[in-house]
Amino acid sequence: MGDRLNPKQLIGAAVALSLLIVAAFVGKALYDRVSDSYVVERKDDGSAVTKVVRATFTRASSLKVGSLSGNVQATASDTRLGGMLTSDRVVKAPFSVDYFVDVSRLRDRDYRYDPATRTLVIDAPDVTIGAVNVDEARRTLSETRGVFVTRDAMDTLSQRASASAQASAEAEAKKPERIAQARDNARRTLAQLLAGPLEAAGVADPRILVTFPYERGSRQDWDRTKTVEQVLGNRS
C-alpha cells in the first residue's frame, strides 16, 4: 500500500483546494466584469454590435407609491494644456424617479386594530427613493462649446454632464416637500389596498391610518385585543 497522508497533509490539501476554488470564482467574476464593461463585441467583419451584454432579474417586494418626473439641465466644463484648451457642454433631458415602500418589512406587530372605532393603524417603513433615470436618448438640448474639443475632452464632458444631471435630479427627488408628497400618496395607496379585505371581512367603513417612523413618538395607544388575522378572519 502507498503512503498515507497524515492529518496535517490532509488539512493542507483541503486548504489548498479551497483557495483554488475561491481563486477560480474571483477570476471568473473579474473576467465577467472586464468583459461586460470594457470588451467590445464585434461581428465577423469587425463592426461593433448593439446588444444586451448582461441582464439580471431581481425579485422585489416594494410597493411603488409615487413617481417624480420632469426635465433637468446639466452643465460641464473641461480644461487642458494648462488652460489653453477650454470647453463646456450643456444638456437638457427628461428624468424620472420612483418612490417605494418595502411592504416585505411589515410584521404582525406593525398592525393594530381598534374595534371600537373600526380603525386599523399600520406602522409602515419609510418611503425610499429608487434609482434616478435621466433619459439622455430623449434629450432636447445638447450644446458643446470650445475652439478645439478633443475626443478625450468630449468623453469627459459627456460623463460630467451625465453625472451632473443625475445628481441634480436626485437632489430634487430628496427635497422634503417631495418626500412629503410620496408619503401622502403612500398612505392613500396602503389604505386602498387594505380597505377591500377589511370590508369583505365585515368591517364596514374601516378607518385606516398609516404612520411612518418619524411620527410615531406621539402615537395613541390602540386596543390590541384583535389582531389583523382575527379581523380578516372575522374571528373574535
Side-chain angles (χ1 to χ4, degrees):
M1 296 178 64
D3 295 335
R4 294 183 177 180
L5 295 176
N6 60 45
K8 288 185 178 180
Q9 290 174 320
L10 288 173
I11 293 174
V15 170
L17 180 60
S18 298
L19 290 175
L20 284 174
I21 294 173
V22 170
F25 277 108
V26 171
K28 178 64 165 56
L30 181 60
Y31 172 80
D32 287 343
R33 180 177 179 183
V34 171
S35 178
D36 289 352
S37 302
Y38 304 106
V39 176
V40 178
E41 297 193 32
R42 300 183 182 276
K43 300 179 183 178
D44 293 338
D45 62 5
S47 61
V49 298
T50 299
K51 61 177 292 187
V52 175
V53 177
R54 182 179 296 273
T56 303
F57 178 82
T58 303
R59 292 191 301 174
S61 55
S62 294
L63 176 67
K64 180 178 174 180
V65 295
S67 181
L68 179 69
S69 61
N71 291 304
V72 59
Q73 175 176 298
T75 61
S77 60
D78 182 75
T79 303
R80 295 174 186 266
L81 297 180
M84 295 180 61
L85 292 180
T86 61
S87 56
D88 61 72
R89 179 174 171 80
V90 57
V91 296
K92 283 188 176 183
F95 77 91
S96 63
V97 57
D98 295 329
Y99 298 84
F100 300 91
V101 170
D102 187 359
V103 292
S104 70
R105 293 172 53 191
L106 288 170
R107 299 293 182 264
D108 290 347
R109 63 178 179 272
D110 297 321
Y111 299 88
R112 299 185 311 284
Y113 181 67
D114 180 4
T117 60
R118 299 191 301 278
T119 300
L120 176 66
V121 179
I122 307 170
D123 290 342
D126 209 352
V127 167
T128 58
I129 302 174
V132 175
N133 175 40
V134 178
D135 192 353
E136 295 192 49
R138 296 172 52 216
R139 61 178 178 259
T140 57
L141 175 69
S142 177
E143 292 183 356
T144 302
R145 297 187 304 174
V147 175
F148 178 71
V149 183
T150 66
R151 180 180 298 178
D152 287 344
M154 189 63 188
D155 288 343
T156 298
L157 287 171
S158 295
Q159 291 177 356
R160 288 176 179 173
S162 295
S164 178
Q166 193 87 7
S168 180
E170 185 173 350
E172 179 67 27
K174 289 181 177 179
K175 285 183 177 180
E177 58 267 32
R178 302 302 187 187
I179 299 295
Q181 289 174 324
R183 285 172 176 155
D184 286 344
N185 200 58
R187 297 181 207 274
R188 288 190 290 269
T189 302
L190 288 170
Q192 290 170 358
L193 282 176
L194 287 174
L198 285 172
E199 291 174 349
V203 181
D205 298 324
R207 183 186 182 207
I208 301 174
L209 301 178
V210 178
T211 72
F212 294 108
Y214 76 96
E215 60 192 358
R216 289 177 194 148
S218 59
R219 70 187 182 191
Q220 182 180 357
D221 259 345
W222 296 96
D223 188 347
R224 296 173 180 264
T225 57
K226 284 190 177 184
T227 66
V228 175
E229 287 78 7
Q230 289 174 328
V231 175
L232 295 181
N234 202 22
R235 302 190 301 270
S236 299

